[in-house]
């Protein structure tokens, strides 16, 4: 299995997010170290267009064999196109990557992922060897109960998923889950042929609310760093 971490320099919510100091290290370094600690992963690759991110990644033990094309580092770039471009280049290079190679995508913005959850996800993937396995977390809001849309030109709220029985208790609403950015486990062949994440089977492994934090804003960054530094679960990772 290889790990692929995709990180561009032009993050908007948090300036220079991927190399910003998080608990004493550049944010991306935590994901690289996570991958290097896992015995199932034999090589860690980073895809970036940014020279500073590339240097930090190399210094942290990852391979950055080429820089990402600028066209795939814009706000409008599609993440799965970045995966495909990187894997296509790796297949064409001398890195022993084939269509059968297992791949785990590890976004740098999820530094609170846990090895136990990853190992359960990998076990599930290897049982089915089809599509993707992702981390999921119970959603705190529910489109059947307390999520609404606002009508154009008015302030009228409409439940996103109305039901005939008019649900009045959160406990009575169907369970819904958030897809996290902890990991996306698959193989090269599946990724190269996919139209989007949902164009093939997707299996979910439940993760904790803390693990599910994805850093997109300054508030996310502060919350994630506080939990990482104060939660005993992560003490062995910090050392």
């Amino acid at each position: 299995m290889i790990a692929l971490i995709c990180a561009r320099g032009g993050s908007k919510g948090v300036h220079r997010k991927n190399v910003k100091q998080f608990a004493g290290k550049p944010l991306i370094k935590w994901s690289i170290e996570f991958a290097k600690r896992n015995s199932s992963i034999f090589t860690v690759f980073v895809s970036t267009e940014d020279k500073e991110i590339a240097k930090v990644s190399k210094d942290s033990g990852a391979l950055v064999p080429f820089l990402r094309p600028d066209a795939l580092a814009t706000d409008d770039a599609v993440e799965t196109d970045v995966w495909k471009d990187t894997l296509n280049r790796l297949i064409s290079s001398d890195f022993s990557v084939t269509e059968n190679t297992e791949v785990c995508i590890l976004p740098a913005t999820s530094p609170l992922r846990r090895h136990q959850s990853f190992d359960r996800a990998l076990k599930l993937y290897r049982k089915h060897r089809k599509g993707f396995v992702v981390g999921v977390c119970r959603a705190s809001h529910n489109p059947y109960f307390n999520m609404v849309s606002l009508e154009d030109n008015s302030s009228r709220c409409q439940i996103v998923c109305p039901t005939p029985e008019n649900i009045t208790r959160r406990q009575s609403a169907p369970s819904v889950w958030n897809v996290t950015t902890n990991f996306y486990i698959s193989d090269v062949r599946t990724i190269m042929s996919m139209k989007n994440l949902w164009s093939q089977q997707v299996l979910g492994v439940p993760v904790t609310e803390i693990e599910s934090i994805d850093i997109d804003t300054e508030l996310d960054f502060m919350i994630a760093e506080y939990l990482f530094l104060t939660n005993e679960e992560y003490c062995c990772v910090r050392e």
Side-chain angles (χ1 to χ4, degrees), residues 57-76:
S57 298
K58 291 175 183 177
D59 291 346
S60 302
L63 296 182
V64 190
F66 39 76
L67 290 179
R68 188 194 308 180
D70 288 340
L72 291 176
T74 66
D75 292 344
D76 299 324

Side-chain angles (χ1 to χ4, degrees), residues 6 24 38 43 50 73 106 116 131-132 135 180 183 213 224 232:
C6 301
N38 195 291
T43 311
D50 187 272
L106 299 176
Q116 297 95 318
F132 277 83
T180 75
F183 43 73
I213 294 175
E232 291 185 1

Side-chain angles (χ1 to χ4, degrees), residues 6 68 71-85 194-197:
C6 301
R68 188 194 308 180
L72 291 176
T74 66
D75 292 344
D76 299 324
V78 179
E79 180 80 1
T80 53
D81 288 344
V82 176
W83 301 353
K84 291 180 181 181
D85 175 76
M194 69 188 292
K195 295 179 181 178
N196 56 63
L197 180 64

